Amino acid sequence: MKNIDSFTHTRGESIYLDDIPTTIGTLYGVVFGSPIAHGKIKSLVLTDAEASEGVVRIFTHLDIPGINQIGGIIPDEPLMAEDEVHFNGMPIAFVVATSTEAATLACKKIKVEIEPLPVITDPRVARANNSLIVPPRTFKIGDSKNAFQDCKYIFEGLAETNGQEHLYIETQGAYALPAENNAIKVYSSTQGPTAVQRHMADVLGIPMHRIEVDVTRLGGGFGGKEDQATSWAVFCGLATFLLKKPVKYALHRMEDMRMTGKRNPYSSDFKIGLDENLKIIAYEAIFHQNAGASADLSPAVLERTLFHTTNTYYVPNVTATAYSCRTNLPPNTAFRGFGGPQGMFVIEAAIAKAAESLGVAADVIQERNLLQTGNELPFGQIVQSEASPCWEKATSLYDVENMKMEIAAFNNTNSVYKKGLSFMPICFGISFTKTPMNQARALVHIYTDGSVNISTGAVEMGQGVNTKMIQVASTIFSIPASLIKLNTTNTYRIANTSPSAASATADLNGRAVEVACNALKERLVEVAADTLKCDKGDIEIKNEGVFVKGELSSMNWKALIMAGYLKRISLSEHGHYATPGLHFDMTKEKGHPFAYHVFGTAITTVTVDCIRGIYDIDSVKLVHDFGSSMNPLIDKGQIEGGLVQGIGWMTMEEIVFDADGRLRSNALSTYKVPDIYSVPKNIDLHFLETDNDNLAIFKSKAVGEPPLMYGIGTFFALRNAIKAFNPNSDVAFAAPMTPEKVLLGLYHSKNG
Ligand code: LUZ
Ligand code: MOS
């Protein structure tokens, strides 16, 4: 089935936040953010700004009727600063005017006096100052300390990954409208409608039932709108509540880049120990997560890092400790992979270091240590592994021996260009690591003309989840997709939603649709048996018709629905799903947090221009574990998009904050993202079809986040190409591998 949005996307008819028709009298807001990263507010003078043309009102924390707090996991984040600012861009006031231009102009007339305090941007400095968001956590299996004594080879090192700007094409935004009886309707470009509803209720001091959050679709989220869509909606809601006027705020790209958090940068230490057969016996890691100025989702991101400490390898003795470090940057947040990629990069660096030191190819070590079904992960979950099938399929299908020979031959005959190859096997856990979040609901109505209307808690953000929801209902009812309409995501239809995140949206909401549709179908079978005077067991509803003992009866789908209505049967159902079998005990750091894992292997080849330091990604050849894909076209799109986003993170996307905590890469002129010229020249994708039982919807495994981690392979392929040119290169395990770093790596050696 084609993505149901492709028709309106192509015609420019899809409705995003900024396409929602505005009502007469709509006002426009702009946030006034702190001009410095850390300090005490001495005075705030609004008089000039208030007198500015078109300004209706300027709100500060003093105007908040409820609580000045929007922290999701920990209440450490005020909506607006009171007497201190903690990052450059931290909201201080919200200016509402008759136009965005007027509000922007007025913002420039706000006078704030801030006494500067020391600025910390480095997570290791934060840890040294004991500036932590939450106490550190440690995952442990076996006894790494003792196990190192039995290791033949031990290597230690440092690995760092930078942040990443989400760069959803649609920036953050919201539009709030007053409703009767002090209620509010808000359109929000959010992955988490319930988070918007809950925090708006807190800030306004009213119950959640007065706040209707509606989400049409998102022009991308990537985690950046899991938590951080909330504040903009709450600003609009606050102004609407107090002014009784519609208020809209859609951020300018540069405001969005400056004021919102990004992927958490990490600075980590590793120690890896191997035996004489290159089996990894022991591994230790210390992760320093740069959380930014408040918790946001960082504690959960930190946890997912720990869950992915050993990537797709079995290591019997592991100790991993993670620190969430408070710095004066915008609060960092969810980003596709959610800490997993940051953890996986570190063990890949450790393996690369071991391989280089021992003079073997990294893939020898990787392959020898792949997870097998039945292995125990450091947090106690016993894994059902597809690691080896993916790896083996990739090496045979793509004839890796031949690829390696061709690269060696190329490198022998070329002095200016060098090629490199890497393997990147992945293993990603599917489920929210916070077990209670693994639940969802769906509301299914069948109208008397036989058409079907579905609401779920899933937010369509370009990932194709709406199409998959329709596929579920269409398959269960056995009716064409054209009879099914999917609604916007709305907190008045579906309550207490988990954010569309963790790659789990189609699984959780699809299962809820499945539950609802099956319940309806059961009732309809009874109606059919009653009407056609036969046994329930003889009835089959398929191809828009009712079959009795395999024979098509006179009753079609539409007649069946009408018969149900006349019998006064409910043609509506609210389905609820909660992933079974999940548990995790934080006091022991053990449990079974994931419904299943997704596996895959990517083989990347690159060519480096050893004079200029620039490079091409020649090919990425993948074998990915889809389970049994319910929509290969959409899933292929997720693989390609995730891969390229991962490559961007690993190679060119370079976030730069200066020592004052000011973002220097604050526009697309200074922050480079992959374009059509920088994507791999060739992407080969093989669908590994497995039909082991799993908890995915229709056994079609989650596909949102896992492919991002294939991009990590590019970093190591580039490193290998650099080493082919300069075997003594001291190129660090520090992503992104920009052309500048490649150039340094090519010409800078360990001994100077
Ligand atoms: N969000 C969240 C996520 O709240 N919990 C998670 O485990 C998660 N994982 C991936 C992406 N978003
Ligand atoms: Mo996401 S990082 O699944 O919002």
Side-chain angles (χ1 to χ4, degrees), residues 163-172 191 219-229 253 256-257 259-264 296-297 301 330-338 342 645 653 655 668 671 673-674 708:
Q164 185 174 23
E165 167 61 44
H166 300 88
L167 220 93
Y168 21 66
I169 292 179
E170 179 198 29
T171 56
Q172 304 271 6
Q191 292 173 243
F222 310 113
K225 297 170 183 172
E226 181 175 337
D227 229 37
Q228 298 210 357
R253 175 66 64 190
D256 190 309
M257 292 180 85
M259 295 196 283
T260 66
K262 301 156 201 331
R263 182 188 290 285
N264 297 88
D296 192 274
L297 288 162
V301 171
N332 288 315
T333 191
F335 195 133
R336 204 174 192 171
F338 204 77
Q342 291 97 316
Q645 198 165 35
E653 296 185 40
I655 290 183
L668 287 173
Y671 186 74
V673 289
L708 182 127

Side-chain angles (χ1 to χ4, degrees), residues 299-326:
V301 171
L302 190 82
E303 181 173 72
R304 191 170 276 275
T305 301
L306 289 168
F307 284 124
H308 291 79
T309 297
T310 51
N311 186 15
T312 188
Y313 308 109
Y314 174 61
V315 187
N317 302 285
V318 178
T319 308
T321 299
Y323 295 87
S324 183
C325 308
R326 194 186 295 274

Side-chain angles (χ1 to χ4, degrees), residues 421-442:
L421 176 145
S422 74
F423 275 73
M424 183 63 203
I426 62 152
C427 165
F428 195 77
I430 303 302
S431 288
F432 287 96
T433 58
K434 190 172 171 192
T435 299
M437 291 173 79
N438 296 288
Q439 55 170 309
R441 279 152 295 277

